[in-house]
Each structure stands twice: as structure tokens, then as C-alpha cells.
Amino acid sequence: MGWFGRKRRDDGGYQDNAALSGFGGYQPSDAPKFPSAGYEKTAPRPSEPAPQPQGAPPPEEGGDPMRQTLTPAQRRRSTPRKTNLRLVKAVPILIMIGIFGYNVFTTKSHHSASTDDTPRAPYTYQPEPRVVVPPVVAGWQSVAGKDGSYAYDVPPSWEPAPTTLHGWDPAAGSPGINLTTSAFLGQHSCKEDAVGQIGGAGFTTEKTGDAAEAARKAVTDLGISGYTGKSAPAAKVTPGAPEKAEVKIENESREGTLVVAEVAPSNAPCQPQSVLVGALALGAGDKSAVLVAYSEQGRPGSASRDDLVRILHSYRGVPAADRSTTTPPPTTR
């Protein structure tokens, strides 16, 4: 799903959702272990004497002549216990040598593979078919959900990104917000925020069936999460009075609530003078579906309040008869 995961507006922009850290960290406890058993006492060699208990009588005549010539000190140095200890000490050394050699040779082979300059054959990517719906605002373009059952429209200067999820992660003093079925305005338009944008839009869900409350929460969450800089006080969000709005679902009209808020950024990148954030919420049981649209003000290409309100009023359900499927052309990489 595209861009996602900014903790605050000062962190340089959205992060790819697939690059989240913390997956599958290798822990020492996961490492394979060498067997700890198997080092049993070693029987004396045929040519070596068996250990004698302290104070034992001397060997009888006819015994092993080698045993008869060993002094007590020599006999102690050749006991199986000491032999086993040397064996146990030697085994880890051999293991470490083996591991070192394995690492050397595998590193060499990996290096050889990485330096292989054989050109990689290009591959072709075929995007999945997507649903397209006609816009209801003349001259604009539609942004439809995956199945095309709902949509909204944006001006020609906006970039629809219906398969993209974007937003800001929760942080201290910042509630965070996620937006799906996205569209963007003026991406890569500020050097201080290279992957940011002037504005955007998308859907979210609020856990309340009160549409007015849901709309106010959405504009407040986005204003604070998106426009509060690091170690700065929270951005000031001033929601306007809620307005009634009709949302057409199939052949019915349902009543929703629209709220537009003014945001005073707090040490945000690119230092926008102000931001407008609007939301249109439609209650459904104990939840509300909310379309949010926002734009920084005072920058070239900024969306006006009228444009944001028009985007929100284009929120609608789409009859099946108005949906069609198209397959984007393949790309070769």
C-alpha cells in the first residue's frame, strides 16, 4: 500500500509501509547449538596402564613392563581424566576453526556472487485490473474505492492514488490518523519536505455514530498529527461550525455532517502559514465513515476552501451500472 507511517511532520516525509522495522530479529537463543553430550570418559589405551588407587601394592611380576618403569608422577599425568580434559578443550578449538573457515569461504563465495556483473534480464509487471467510475464534477477526475462502490472527485491538478494508504503514526501528544483511497496535491514541492505534499485526501473511520463528532475529531487529529513539529507544542486547530451535507448512496440521499477547520502549524517543515482541513462524516451504527481533504495555504498551487468543500461534497455511493473495469498497461523494469 504505498506511503505510510510518518510519526511527525519533521521526520522527512512518509515512510514505505513495507520497510517497517522489527521483523524477525535474530536472537542468540535462535542460534543452532552444538551437542553438549557425547564426551564420555575414554578407556585407557592398551599400551597405557589402568589407574591405580592411592596406596595400592606394586604390580606383580609378569605384569606390564612399561607400567613397572613409570614413576607415580608419570602415572598421574597419563590418567584418563586428564586425557578427557584435553579432548574437551580441543573440541571447541576445532569447532571455532571450522566455523572460521566456513565464514571465510562463504564470504568469498558471496563476494564473488555480488561482484558478478552479468546483466539482469528485465521483467514485466502487469498491474491488477481496477474499477473506474465517472466523475460527477465536470472536468475533474474520480478516486474510487477498490470495488468502486464509493468515490469522490478531485481537480485536475491532484494526483489520484486509490490503492495508497497514507497518514501519521500516533506519538506523544499526537493522535495519528490513517487515510485510504488517497489523492495528493503538489507532491515533492518543498525541499525541506522532499516526499511531502501541499495537500491530500482520503477516507478514515471514526468510532462514533455521531457524524458531527466524527468530523470534528478527524480534522483535529489530522491538524495536530500532520502539522506539529518535533519538540513543539501541538498545532492549533480551530474547527468551524458543523454543516449538514447530503451523501447520495445508490438512489437514496443520507444526511452527513461537514466541518472545515483552520490549522496554525507548529514548527512544521516548509513553514506553511496556515492549513485548511475539511471532513465529511456519514454515521453508520456506532461508527462513521469520513472523507478528509486538506491543503496548506499560501503556497503556489494550494487548494482553496471552495475546492476542498467541493471535493467533500462529491463523496457518493456508486451504482454498479456506473462502474467499469480497466487493466493498466504492463511496465517493464
Side-chain angles (χ1 to χ4, degrees):
M1 297 283 292
W3 310 110
F4 177 73
R6 294 210 307 187
K7 292 185 177 178
R8 305 285 274 187
R9 282 284 301 185
D10 63 290
D11 65 358
Y14 295 105
Q15 302 298 324
D16 195 324
N17 194 31
L20 294 181
S21 63
F23 280 72
Y26 181 82
Q27 301 296 330
S29 60
D30 300 327
K33 296 178 177 59
F34 291 101
S36 58
Y39 300 118
E40 301 177 356
K41 291 184 179 181
T42 306
R45 297 178 183 176
S47 60
E48 293 180 350
Q52 294 293 323
Q54 189 173 0
E60 299 178 0
E61 291 190 14
D64 189 343
M66 181 62 71
R67 287 177 57 96
Q68 298 177 16
T69 61
L70 293 178
T71 66
Q74 289 172 325
R75 291 175 185 170
R76 284 196 297 272
R77 285 197 299 269
S78 62
T79 60
R81 180 181 298 276
K82 291 296 183 181
T83 302
N84 280 344
L85 181 60
R86 287 195 297 270
L87 175 62
V88 172
K89 288 182 178 179
V91 168
I93 295 175
L94 293 176
I95 292 173
M96 292 303 297
I97 294 174
I99 294 175
F100 175 78
Y102 173 81
N103 288 339
V104 169
F105 286 109
T106 55
T107 301
K108 182 176 180 181
S109 64
H110 290 167
H111 177 72
S112 300
S114 63
T115 55
D116 186 3
D117 57 358
T118 303
R120 184 181 65 180
Y123 67 93
T124 300
Y125 169 70
Q126 176 61 62
E128 294 182 359
R130 58 187 178 88
V131 178
V132 177
V133 304
V136 295
V137 180
W140 284 23
Q141 49 192 333
S142 66
V143 186
K146 184 176 181 181
D147 61 357
S149 61
Y150 62 93
Y152 65 98
D153 297 342
V154 293
S157 57
W158 288 59
E159 180 183 345
T163 61
T164 297
L165 166 71
H166 79 283
W168 294 266
D169 287 334
S174 175
I177 188 170
N178 303 333
L179 300 174
T180 65
T181 318
S182 305
F184 299 104
L185 172 64
Q187 293 198 81
H188 314 294
S189 56
C190 175
K191 293 181 180 179
E192 297 176 32
D193 194 6
V195 294
Q197 69 286 316
I198 296 173
F203 286 97
T204 190
T205 301
E206 297 293 351
K207 297 179 180 180
T208 174
D210 186 327
E213 180 183 349
R216 281 194 300 268
K217 185 176 186 304
V219 297
T220 302
D221 288 354
L222 192 144
I224 294 175
S225 303
Y227 295 97
T228 300
K230 183 178 181 181
S231 302
K236 183 179 180 181
V237 181
T238 307
E243 305 173 15
K244 297 300 181 181
E246 287 188 353
V247 178
K248 195 169 185 179
I249 307 294
E250 296 287 341
N251 296 321
E252 299 180 5
S253 291
R254 294 180 57 184
E255 187 177 273
T257 302
L258 187 148
V259 172
V260 177
E262 294 183 359
V263 180
S266 177
N267 195 31
C270 304
Q271 300 298 325
Q273 298 175 3
S274 62
V275 180
L276 289 177
V277 183
L280 194 159
L282 186 66
D286 59 351
K287 296 182 180 179
S288 293
V290 188
L291 173 63
V292 182
Y294 59 96
S295 175
E296 297 176 0
Q297 301 297 292
R299 292 176 59 183
S302 294
S304 66
R305 178 189 175 95
D306 288 344
D307 278 348
L308 293 179
V309 170
R310 203 173 185 186
I311 289 172
L312 297 173
H313 276 298
S314 69
Y315 176 22
R316 63 197 182 276
V318 181
D322 292 341
R323 309 172 203 169
S324 60
T325 302
T326 182
T327 302
T331 59
T332 301
R333 301 175 182 177

